[in-house]
Amino acid sequence: MTLLGHNSADLTVSIKVRAFNSMTRFCDPERLEREISYPVGATIGDIVRDFNIPLAELFLILVNGRDVAPGCVGDIRLAHQLEDGDVIALSGPVPYSFGYGAPVV
């Protein structure tokens, strides 16, 4: 985590994390959308670690609707830094997708 200055240690960013498909088992079933505060400089990797999600099971991460796992399965940008107000969507493979071995047409 990179701090912005000597007085930035107490700053936080507030984000929403939403779980879809197989990622719901890593969340409270009553709260598939959670608001969480992280210290400034937190990353996608911090979320993955805090939710105890195995990277092999993570198929798609969207930050404000934009894919941060471009290209291949497993190529996830864990270093993507969170910003205040971000909405993070976590998803496992979707049936009839590349993640399940089906060709995407």
Side-chain angles (χ1 to χ4, degrees):
M1 177 171 80
T2 304
L3 296 179
L4 301 176
H6 72 284
N7 61 348
S8 63
D10 295 329
L11 297 177
T12 61
V13 293
S14 182
I15 63 165
K16 287 184 182 177
V17 177
R18 297 176 178 164
F20 298 94
N21 303 315
S22 61
M23 292 298 106
T24 58
R25 66 187 163 157
F26 298 104
C27 300
D28 178 356
E30 301 292 319
R31 298 175 54 206
L32 297 180
E33 177 178 299
R34 289 179 47 193
E35 287 194 36
I36 304 174
S37 291
Y38 277 99
V40 168
T43 65
I44 294 290
D46 295 322
I47 295 173
V48 171
R49 183 193 69 240
D50 290 348
F51 280 73
N52 295 315
I53 299 172
L55 283 179
E57 296 187 32
L58 198 54
F59 183 71
L60 178 67
I61 297 178
L62 300 176
V63 177
N64 302 322
R66 292 184 175 234
D67 189 0
V68 295
C72 302
V73 174
D75 181 25
I76 297 168
R77 306 288 161 84
L78 295 177
H80 180 89
Q81 210 164 46
L82 302 173
E83 295 183 19
D84 196 48
D86 278 350
V87 177
I88 312 300
L90 306 171
S91 177
V94 179
Y96 303 105
S97 71
F98 179 76
Y100 273 107
V104 177
V105 291

